[in-house]
């Protein structure tokens, strides 16, 4: 079965950087899309960035220019480089994957990780 495992979260000061990783297992090839979502306390889970199997990317407006999504198919790993972090980026970050390219449409993604916490203090 497909499993997604996130890592790289932590506590940082505003303006600092973090890199999240998500390792996928259980897929027989690299023809699947992946995405990062986040959920802050009391808020709905929202899309942050997504990447299709061909490298096409999509970003939420709130992170454009600050976050960069990438993937290494040889390592079955997706990354999220987060720069210039703000307190409003504080949330649990989740990795998601699916055979179809859903962009940042949360209900489309079938597979989810357990999340990694990012906390940004001012």
């Amino acid at each position: 079965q497909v499993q997604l495992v996130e890592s790289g979260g932590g506590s940082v000061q505003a303006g600092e950087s973090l890199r999240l990783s998500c390792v996928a297992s259980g897929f027989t090839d690299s023809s699947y899309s992946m995405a990062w979502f986040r959920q802050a306390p009391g808020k709905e889970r929202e899309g942050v960035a997504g990447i299709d199997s061909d490298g096409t990317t999509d970003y939420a407006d709130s992170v454009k220019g600050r976050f960069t999504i990438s993937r290494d198919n040889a390592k079955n790993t997706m990354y999220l480089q987060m720069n210039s972090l703000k307190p409003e980026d504080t949330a649990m970050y989740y990795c998601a994957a699916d055979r179809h390219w859903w962009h940042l449409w949360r209900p489309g993604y079938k597979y989810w990780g357990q999340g990694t916490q990012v906390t940004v203090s001012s």
Side-chain angles (χ1 to χ4, degrees), residues 87-101:
E88 50 263 44
D89 294 318
T90 295
M92 183 71 77
Y93 283 70
Y94 297 90
C95 170
D98 197 87
R99 285 291 187 184
H100 186 72
W101 174 224

Side-chain angles (χ1 to χ4, degrees), residues 52-91:
D52 198 4
S53 57
D54 65 358
T56 300
T57 59
D58 196 5
Y59 292 92
D61 288 343
S62 59
V63 306
K64 283 180 181 177
R66 299 189 298 123
F67 291 9
T68 303
I69 191 171
S70 62
R71 63 190 290 172
D72 183 338
N73 290 333
K75 296 182 178 180
N76 299 319
T77 302
M78 172 180 65
Y79 304 98
L80 186 67
Q81 178 66 42
M82 305 186 294
N83 298 330
S84 303
L85 282 161
K86 304 176 181 180
E88 50 263 44
D89 294 318
T90 295

Side-chain angles (χ1 to χ4, degrees), residues 8-20 38-41 63 66-67 80-93 116-122:
S11 297
V12 298
Q13 298 286 322
E16 294 184 342
S17 299
L18 279 174
R19 189 176 82 153
L20 306 183
R38 67 185 180 186
Q39 188 168 19
V63 306
R66 299 189 298 123
F67 291 9
L80 186 67
Q81 178 66 42
M82 305 186 294
N83 298 330
S84 303
L85 282 161
K86 304 176 181 180
E88 50 263 44
D89 294 318
T90 295
M92 183 71 77
Y93 283 70
T116 185
Q117 177 68 37
V118 172
T119 303
V120 185
S121 56
S122 57

